[in-house]
Structure formats: structure tokens, C-alpha cells
């Protein structure tokens, strides 16, 4: 967990997302993107799936969730494994405090430490350029639906990680089944469904 902020604004703490953050995260995303957020092309790569292990973050300030960022495993048509970043959202009253930038730095640093080689996203180049994102390596990549080509950006955590990458970007895994979810709960030491904790 990392913290920053001034005493006037209250400290901001960035940590890994917990199950208890889900309702507040969804409310924040609804407020930030509105009802059309599920129609976005990037959502086709996320729906029914879990974020990459250890790569879902929240920012909290004054006991409230004020920021969220998640990374998702995807693969290019040429078999290059990478992560899809998004959505990144910060509560309206907490914007201009550096929360979005802090979430980005934390996510990219952690992804690099975990051995991931590249991150892609669909977003504003003027904002994401400072984190090392550009369209320089995405010209032959395609999203699974409508998108603005100039907004498909990538950051190579390992130089040359996307060399030769092309084709359709797809989820790196199938959506988890109910059985695999139950097995994960058991393996993680949580009580199975219907059993007391």
C-alpha cells in the first residue's frame, strides 16, 4: 500500500482491490462513464473475466473509494501476451490530486515486477504519453469491435515486447466456470459455498 496527499486534502492510500470494494468501485465507474460503459469495445475483453492476479487497484481517501484501475490478461493474434489497462477512473471531487497518475505508476510498476512484458489500452494519447504509452507499436493490432485507431496505445515494459505483434486482441483466458471459482475458494482457504466460514 502506498499513501500520498496533503493534510488539507486528506491522505490518499493506494492498495490492491478487495472484495469489499466491489460495490463502491462499480458506483464510481457508473458515475465516471455512465450507462454506456458496458458497450465499450474494451469491455468485450473484460466481461465475465477476472483481472490479472494482483493487478487490480483502488485509491481511498477519507474512508471513501475515489479511484480504480485494473489490468486484464490479453493476447494478440500473433500470440504476444500482454495486459489491457482499464478502466481508470477517479471520483470527480478527487480529480487534480494526482490519483490517476499514482494508480498508473503503481499498476505499471507492479505489472513489471510480476514479469508482464507490455500493456495496451484505448485512451487519450496526450494523457497516457507521460507513462510511456504510444501508438508506435499498435498499428497492426485490432480491437474486437469499433474503436478509434489512434487511441489504441501500448507501453512496452520490456523493450521490443510487441515486436511483430499483430492481429485481433483477445482475452488470454476463458471466463472462469462456477467449478473453478469454487476450487479457487477452497484452495484460498475460504469456506465453500453453503458452508460456514
Amino acid at each position: 500500500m502506498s499513501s500520498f496527499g496533503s493534510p488539507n486534502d486528506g491522505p490518499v492510500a493506494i492498495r490492491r482491490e478487495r472484495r469489499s470494494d466491489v460495490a463502491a468501485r462499480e458506483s464510481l465507474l457508473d458515475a465516471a462513464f455512465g450507462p454506456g460503459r458496458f458497450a465499450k469495445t474494451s469491455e468485450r475483453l473484460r466481461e465475465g473475466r477476472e483481472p490479472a492476479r494482483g493487478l487490480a487497484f483502488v485509491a481511498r481517501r477519507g474512508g471513501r473509494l475515489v479511484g480504480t484501475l485494473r489490468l486484464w490478461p490479453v493476447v494478440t493474434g500473433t500470440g504476444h501476451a500482454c495486459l489491457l489497462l482499464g478502466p481508470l477512473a477517479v471520483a470527480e471531487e478527487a480529480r487534480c490530486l494526482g490519483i490517476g497518475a499514482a494508480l498508473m505508476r503503481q499498476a505499471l510498476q507492479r505489472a513489471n515486477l510480476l514479469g508482464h512484458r507490455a500493456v495496451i489500452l484505448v485512451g487519450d494519447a496526450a494523457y497516457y504519453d507521460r507513462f510511456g504509452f504510444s501508438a508506435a507499436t499498435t498499428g497492426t493490432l485490432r480491437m474486437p469491435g469499433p474503436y478509434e485507431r489512434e487511441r489504441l496505445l501500448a507501453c512496452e515494459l520490456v523493450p521490443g515486447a510487441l515486436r511483430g505483434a499483430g492481429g485481433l486482441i483477445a482475452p488470454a483466458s476463458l471466463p472462469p466456470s462456477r467449478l473453478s471459482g469454487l476450487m479457487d475458494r477452497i484452495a484460498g482457504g475460504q469456506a465453500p459455498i453453503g458452508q460456514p466460514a
Side-chain angles (χ1 to χ4, degrees):
M1 181 165 70
S2 63
S3 296
F4 65 97
S6 70
N8 296 341
D9 297 325
V12 175
I14 295 180
R15 63 164 168 76
R16 285 178 50 186
E17 182 182 292
R18 298 176 186 155
R19 228 174 250 202
S20 59
D21 296 321
V22 171
R25 180 197 70 228
E26 290 302 306
S27 292
L28 173 60
L29 291 172
D30 286 343
F33 299 109
R37 73 182 175 102
F38 295 108
K40 292 179 180 279
T41 296
S42 293
E43 186 63 25
R44 304 294 72 81
L45 299 170
R46 297 188 289 255
E47 62 191 351
R49 293 171 174 79
E50 296 292 324
R53 189 177 299 263
L55 292 172
F57 301 93
V58 296
R60 297 189 66 87
R61 176 175 174 246
R64 290 191 56 237
L65 190 141
V66 293
T68 179
L69 175 75
R70 301 168 109 197
L71 294 163
W72 308 80
V74 294
V75 64
T76 70
T78 49
H80 291 73
C82 49
L83 295 167
L84 173 71
L85 188 146
L88 167 64
V90 176
E92 188 173 0
E93 72 278 4
R95 292 184 185 152
C96 299
L97 297 176
I99 294 171
L103 282 164
M104 286 293 298
R105 285 190 294 273
Q106 179 86 9
L108 294 175
Q109 179 182 39
R110 186 73 182 147
N112 191 28
L113 287 172
L114 291 173
H116 295 282
R117 300 172 49 83
V119 179
I120 61 170
L121 60 81
V122 177
D124 182 13
Y127 178 81
Y128 290 105
D129 174 69
R130 61 182 150 159
F131 305 107
F133 285 86
S134 78
T137 58
T138 62
T140 57
L141 294 173
R142 294 188 328 273
M143 292 289 285
Y147 69 100
E148 297 172 53
R149 178 161 291 287
E150 68 277 4
R151 291 174 56 85
L152 182 58
L153 310 174
C155 173
E156 292 180 322
L157 302 174
V158 175
L162 292 175
R163 188 174 295 121
L168 185 66
I169 299 165
S173 62
L174 296 172
S177 68
R178 293 187 70 188
L179 178 59
S180 70
L182 178 61
M183 296 305 290
D184 283 347
R185 289 179 63 155
I186 293 168
Q190 298 177 16
I193 297 169
Q195 299 291 321

